[in-house]
Amino acid sequence: MIIYLIGFMGSGKSTLGRPLANRLGYSFVDLDEQIETHSGCKIADIFAQYGEEYFRNLESQYLKEIAANKSNLVVSTGGGVPCFNNNMELMNASGVTIYLNLSPKMLADRLSNARATRPLIASKSSDELLQYITQTLAARDEFYSKANVIIANPSRDVSQIVTVISPYLDGKHSLKN
Ligand code: S3P
């Protein structure tokens, strides 16, 4: 079983993904880290040197490799992954998708000190950041809302996610949309 955590930058996908994998006895993969390790290049440098489209293609390439995996995995995806190259369909077809849904204000608070490594927001002021999040989240909603499970204001304790996904793990809930 593959569990994909999706959501905007700062929604806690990596922070929750690691303990979730531990709790379930699954392996953990962070897609951004996977890209950086394999390319030997930081995400910000990939954007700067090759542009966003190149990065989006890398994301899809590594996502396909992960989706073909037969082992138990928790995957933390970059915030844009569901919105490009039919990645959302691939994730829904190969596992359970969980959308960590936070308000623009909460995301802006969390991201205000975590801009530097994220090229899409690195140069934004606090006002610009909130505006960017509000607009981008609205545009991404049509993709994020295709998730199998949506958790609004997720708690920092993984027990909540474990409870919500247990029907999928027990096979009581069909994976097909
Ligand atoms: C992005 C989110 C980032 C990273 C890249 C682009 C996005 O990942 O993939 O900077 O488009 O939202 P996180 O969501 O893990 O910060």
Side-chain angles (χ1 to χ4, degrees), residues 119-169:
L120 295 174
I121 55 172
S123 62
K124 301 206 182 305
S125 68
S126 296
D127 285 351
E128 287 169 345
L129 180 64
L130 182 57
Q131 193 185 12
Y132 173 81
I133 294 171
T134 305
Q135 285 172 353
T136 311
L137 198 56
R140 289 182 173 182
D141 184 64
E142 65 168 300
F143 300 98
Y144 290 159
S145 60
K146 290 181 188 159
N148 297 119
V149 177
I150 298 176
I151 303 183
N153 303 319
S155 90
R156 290 185 184 259
D157 178 359
V158 290
S159 303
Q160 181 192 23
I161 303 188
V162 174
T163 305
V164 172
I165 59 166
S166 58
Y168 291 88
L169 303 179

Side-chain angles (χ1 to χ4, degrees), residues 50-172:
Y50 305 105
E52 180 171 354
E53 193 179 336
Y54 180 86
F55 173 72
R56 297 304 174 195
N57 289 334
L58 271 188
E59 277 185 328
S60 299
Q61 180 191 322
Y62 286 109
L63 185 69
K64 277 191 193 126
E65 285 178 19
I66 290 168
N69 213 299
K70 295 283 171 271
S71 47
N72 288 327
L73 282 182
V74 173
V75 185
S76 137
T77 61
V81 168
C83 318
F84 294 88
N85 303 330
N86 292 321
N87 292 335
M88 197 62 205
E89 284 70 19
L90 175 65
M91 292 190 282
N92 276 337
S94 56
V96 185
T97 48
I98 302 177
Y99 171 31
L100 305 177
N101 181 9
L102 283 82
S103 70
K105 177 79 179 71
M106 287 172 80
L107 292 167
D109 286 347
R110 287 191 184 188
L111 287 168
S112 61
N113 292 322
R115 276 172 266 197
T117 56
R118 292 173 162 109
L120 295 174
I121 55 172
S123 62
K124 301 206 182 305
S125 68
S126 296
D127 285 351
E128 287 169 345
L129 180 64
L130 182 57
Q131 193 185 12
Y132 173 81
I133 294 171
T134 305
Q135 285 172 353
T136 311
L137 198 56
R140 289 182 173 182
D141 184 64
E142 65 168 300
F143 300 98
Y144 290 159
S145 60
K146 290 181 188 159
N148 297 119
V149 177
I150 298 176
I151 303 183
N153 303 319
S155 90
R156 290 185 184 259
D157 178 359
V158 290
S159 303
Q160 181 192 23
I161 303 188
V162 174
T163 305
V164 172
I165 59 166
S166 58
Y168 291 88
L169 303 179
D170 297 343
K172 286 183 191 143

